[in-house]
Amino acid sequence: MILVFVEIEGDAIKKSSQEALTYGADLASKTNDTCAAIGIGSADVLGDLGQYGAKSTFAVNGAGLDTFTPEGYSHAIHEVAHSNNANTIIVSGSYTGKSIAPKLAVKLNAALSTGVVAMVSTDAGFSVRKTCFSNKAFTRVSVNSEKKVISIVPNSYEVKAFDNHADVTVVSVDASSTIKTKSVSVDKVQGKIPLTEAELVVSAGRGLKGPENWGMIEELADVLGAATACSKPVSDMDWRPHSEHVGQTGITIKPNLYIAAGISGAIQHLAGVSSSKVICVINTDPEAPFFKAADYGIVGDAFDVIPKLIARAKELKAG
Amino acid sequence: MNILVCLSAVPDTTTKITFTDNDTKFNTDGVQFIINPYDELALTKALEITEANGGEVTVISVGEASIDPVIRKALAIGAHKAVRIDTAAKDGMHVAQSIKQAIEGQSYDLILTGRESIDYNGGQVAGLLSELMDMSLVNVVTSIEIDGSSVTAVRDIDGGRETVSASMPCVLSAQKELCEPRIPNMRGIMQARTKPLEVVAPSGDYTQTDYVGYELPPAKEGVKLIDAANAEELIDLLRSEKKLL
Ligand SMILES: Cc1cc2nc3c(=O)[nH]c(=O)nc-3n(C[C@H](O)[C@H](O)[C@H](O)COP(=O)(O)OP(=O)(O)OC[C@H]3O[C@@H](n4cnc5c(N)ncnc54)[C@H](O)[C@@H]3O)c2cc1C
């Protein structure tokens, strides 16, 4: 059995978990296996995950599982994996997934593959493709162990619609004796698209000259339904929050569209964004290195170009 | 307060990545190795914690003798002593198991790592160690505070932050913003020469994965330039050519 861990956000499962489920379902059909979903929470919220590829769902709850802890969740998932003889566990590379995947690998004595960006190949053994050198390259990793834990980079596997129906089995697990950490408070940025999950991203760099000029970046992001990002110096100078810093030492993203204004395209910046499907660069300097990595380029002043983009996007939106 | 900092030596961030042996090996020719930037944060934070609470910082790294200069730099920044496990790091499990075996019988209140290494980007070692050593885990943290026998840390979550209280001993992985990395001064560099750097033999091969080949991302076809005077065309092109927006 291939067991896919799904995360619940509000009353739906997260997009990155939908991707992981599609991945699990595709892997199951490739290896003649079955794909089951596992979520921590009530059967109602998990609902029928058949449309995402699951053949069945485990809804786990019990003492110690009210809030996320790496130890509690990994314990619960392992219990179900163990009693159902799962050979592979798939998680999305969200912050939650990153905290539990290594723990599950130790518990199951499984090989751990993180940063995976494509479907498993079974051509010569079992191997996965993952990013390395912070997106400057890819590597193929052969996985030499019967049990596997695989963590998929968000936005790297497309969600498909399936025609399955997945019955929910409620499982009760008492994780209380494993708990070593406690959530004190959660501070969520309201109404914003998390950068790692965003399909469209508008980003800006030092070329914007000061934090007071980000209004137009936010406005463009807003009309396009995009998330906002920035280069490292911009967050270092506190023009923008650190959570927006993308690049080799920031967040790695791979949206469908990355618009970069006033960013030179230093190698460390490119490392974090070069997997974006379409890259548009706006820069006054025709020699800016970013143009070499771009699909579309505008040699021009961001203060002149961005308002034009906003105006056109608004026009189209209004129909 | 005894703190262990796990250190990885990685190619300098400006390195142009190339491969040899028919794209099966990373080409280290002319590559400058540095302390993984996130590990540098972990080290600095460990020093800040021991300065405030007393105790010692030990750095540990899995790697061959070629990484000794990188370890010496950590000693110059202020670590009290260092251990090198004398084998090339193969994967996250290999590193975590090797560290576990090497520190058998010693006790650390905290183990700090970087949130990931910038070469293989596994982000595995903190989680693996916490499970192997039965320690608490707070992953990807931007703040660490010690209060008595527990730690309060702020960790990144999707779309926000969470404050977590954890029992000690605890494994934490450093994220940007945890602190400003320290730069070694002359005195530190002099002192580092005589600080202990113990080399221990590897205890076993714990790998379950094998890096069999590398490739560079496909090159872009070339940029399509749009005249700034008609910048709005970009929006239309994204729609018509790329089916976006
Ligand atoms: C260890 C290390 C790690 C690093 N990690 C990262 C990382 O993760 N992410 C990252 O981003 N950087 C990283 N960097 C920094 C990186 O090397 C660059 O310094 C940084 O990306 C530059 O940011 P920038 O492009 O915003 O600024 P600049 O390099 O100052 O470029 C500004 C650009 O704006 C253009 N410009 C100016 N005015 C306008 C205008 N009105 N309209 C349009 N364009 C304009 C200029 O032509 C220029 O190209 C790292 C560096 C080191 C040493």
Side-chain angles (χ1 to χ4, degrees), chain A residues 200-208 214 216-217 220 224 226-231 246 253 255 257-266 269-270 273-274 276 278-285 288-291 293-302 305-306 309, chain B residues 234 238:
Chain A
L200 312 172
V201 175
V202 180
S203 185
R206 199 146 56 178
L208 272 261
W214 249 262
M216 61 180 185
I217 298 299
L220 178 61
L224 299 179
T228 49
C230 69
S231 68
V246 292
I253 53 170
L257 174 65
Y258 184 72
I259 300 180
I263 301 179
S264 58
H269 185 85
L270 294 181
V273 304
S274 58
S276 308
V278 177
I279 294 179
C280 307
V281 169
I282 301 154
N283 199 303
T284 41
D285 175 9
F290 217 150
F291 284 118
D295 299 278
Y296 297 98
I298 302 177
V299 178
D301 189 335
V305 170
I306 300 284
L309 300 183
Chain B
L234 174 63
L238 288 172

Side-chain angles (χ1 to χ4, degrees), chain A residues 45-272:
Chain A
V45 178
L46 282 161
D48 188 344
L49 297 176
Q51 57 176 309
Y52 302 115
K55 288 273 169 69
S56 62
T57 303
F58 298 99
V60 188
N61 47 57
L65 297 173
D66 294 341
T67 55
F68 170 75
T69 63
E71 60 280 14
Y73 271 41
S74 59
H75 173 78
I77 297 165
H78 175 243
E79 288 288 297
V80 174
H82 183 72
S83 51
N84 291 278
N85 224 345
N87 53 59
T88 304
I89 296 185
I90 298 188
V91 305
S92 111
S94 63
Y95 285 105
T96 298
K98 282 179 175 159
S99 288
I100 60 174
K103 291 183 154 291
L104 287 167
V106 172
K107 286 181 196 292
L108 286 160
N109 191 21
L112 174 60
S113 307
T114 52
V116 172
V117 292
M119 181 41 62
V120 165
S121 157
T122 49
D123 292 345
F126 187 104
S127 71
V128 293
R129 181 178 156 90
K130 73 178 287 291
T131 53
C132 60
F133 299 102
S134 305
N135 266 346
K136 288 179 191 168
F138 296 97
T139 174
R140 184 150 289 286
V141 185
S142 92
V143 181
N144 318 314
S145 128
E146 187 214 337
K147 296 221 158 88
K148 291 138 189 132
V149 174
I150 300 175
S151 164
I152 318 287
V153 176
N155 272 353
S156 50
Y157 207 74
E158 207 160 312
V159 176
K160 276 196 291 212
F162 290 80
D163 209 7
N164 296 349
H165 166 69
D167 278 327
V168 182
T169 309
V170 176
V171 184
S172 171
V173 174
D174 184 348
S176 52
S177 66
T178 66
I179 302 302
K180 292 181 161 63
T181 60
K182 197 170 116 243
S183 175
V184 178
S185 62
V186 170
D187 186 10
K188 282 229 171 185
V189 186
Q190 290 305 323
K192 276 219 166 183
I193 306 161
L195 201 44
T196 45
E197 289 200 9
E199 290 182 9
L200 312 172
V201 175
V202 180
S203 185
R206 199 146 56 178
L208 272 261
K209 306 208 167 51
E212 67 280 7
N213 297 324
W214 249 262
M216 61 180 185
I217 298 299
E218 288 190 326
E219 190 179 354
L220 178 61
D222 205 41
V223 260
L224 299 179
T228 49
C230 69
S231 68
K232 179 171 185 283
V234 163
S235 72
D236 284 347
M237 293 182 292
D238 280 333
W239 291 2
R240 298 297 295 172
H242 285 280
S243 55
E244 287 194 0
H245 161 197
V246 292
Q248 187 157 12
T249 50
I251 296 172
T252 299
I253 53 170
K254 47 186 312 177
N256 290 332
L257 174 65
Y258 184 72
I259 300 180
I263 301 179
S264 58
I267 189 166
Q268 297 96 345
H269 185 85
L270 294 181

Side-chain angles (χ1 to χ4, degrees), chain A residues 7 14 68 70 94-95 98-99 102-103 105-107 109-114 129-145 180-189 194 196 200 224 232 235-236 242 245 248-251 256-257 267-268 276-280 291-300 304-305 308-309 312-313 316, chain B residues 11-17 19 26 37-38 93 115-124 127-128 130-132 134-140 152 155-167 175-177 208-218 220 222-239 241-242 244-245:
Chain A
E7 294 170 55
K14 283 174 67 165
F68 170 75
S94 63
Y95 285 105
K98 282 179 175 159
S99 288
K103 291 183 154 291
V106 172
K107 286 181 196 292
N109 191 21
L112 174 60
S113 307
T114 52
R129 181 178 156 90
K130 73 178 287 291
T131 53
C132 60
F133 299 102
S134 305
N135 266 346
K136 288 179 191 168
F138 296 97
T139 174
R140 184 150 289 286
V141 185
S142 92
V143 181
N144 318 314
S145 128
K180 292 181 161 63
T181 60
K182 197 170 116 243
S183 175
V184 178
S185 62
V186 170
D187 186 10
K188 282 229 171 185
V189 186
T196 45
L200 312 172
L224 299 179
K232 179 171 185 283
S235 72
D236 284 347
H242 285 280
H245 161 197
Q248 187 157 12
T249 50
I251 296 172
N256 290 332
L257 174 65
I267 189 166
Q268 297 96 345
S276 308
K277 290 188 189 83
V278 177
I279 294 179
C280 307
F291 284 118
K292 290 205 177 67
D295 299 278
Y296 297 98
I298 302 177
V299 178
D304 161 53
V305 170
K308 284 184 180 155
L309 300 183
R312 182 65 184 145
L316 288 171
Chain B
D12 174 27
T13 57
T14 57
T15 307
K16 190 157 186 284
I17 304 296
F19 304 104
F26 170 54
Y38 297 110
M93 190 66 90
R115 78 156 161 95
E116 67 179 35
S117 68
I118 61 163
D119 51 3
Y120 290 94
N121 309 100
Q124 304 181 350
L128 290 171
S130 76
E131 191 65 27
L132 289 167
D134 198 23
M135 292 168 74
S136 62
L137 169 72
V138 194
N139 214 8
V140 195
T152 303
R155 71 175 190 102
D156 279 1
I157 58 175
D158 292 304
R161 296 248 155 116
E162 181 183 29
T163 305
V164 177
S165 148
S167 63
Q175 162 74 319
K176 197 198 163 195
E177 219 185 314
Q208 288 173 315
T209 62
D210 227 341
Y211 290 75
V212 290
Y214 295 90
E215 71 192 81
L216 295 171
K220 288 272 177 191
V223 57
K224 185 170 200 169
L225 288 176
I226 298 157
D227 189 349
N230 315 315
E232 61 282 354
E233 236 178 63
L234 174 63
I235 301 288
D236 297 272
L237 287 173
L238 288 172
R239 284 193 145 198
E241 295 187 351
K242 302 291 177 186
L244 288 167
L245 307 181

Side-chain angles (χ1 to χ4, degrees), chain B residues 138-153:
Chain B
V138 194
N139 214 8
V140 195
V141 302
T142 53
S143 152
I144 301 175
E145 271 174 61
I146 309 295
D147 32 336
S149 61
S150 73
V151 192
T152 303

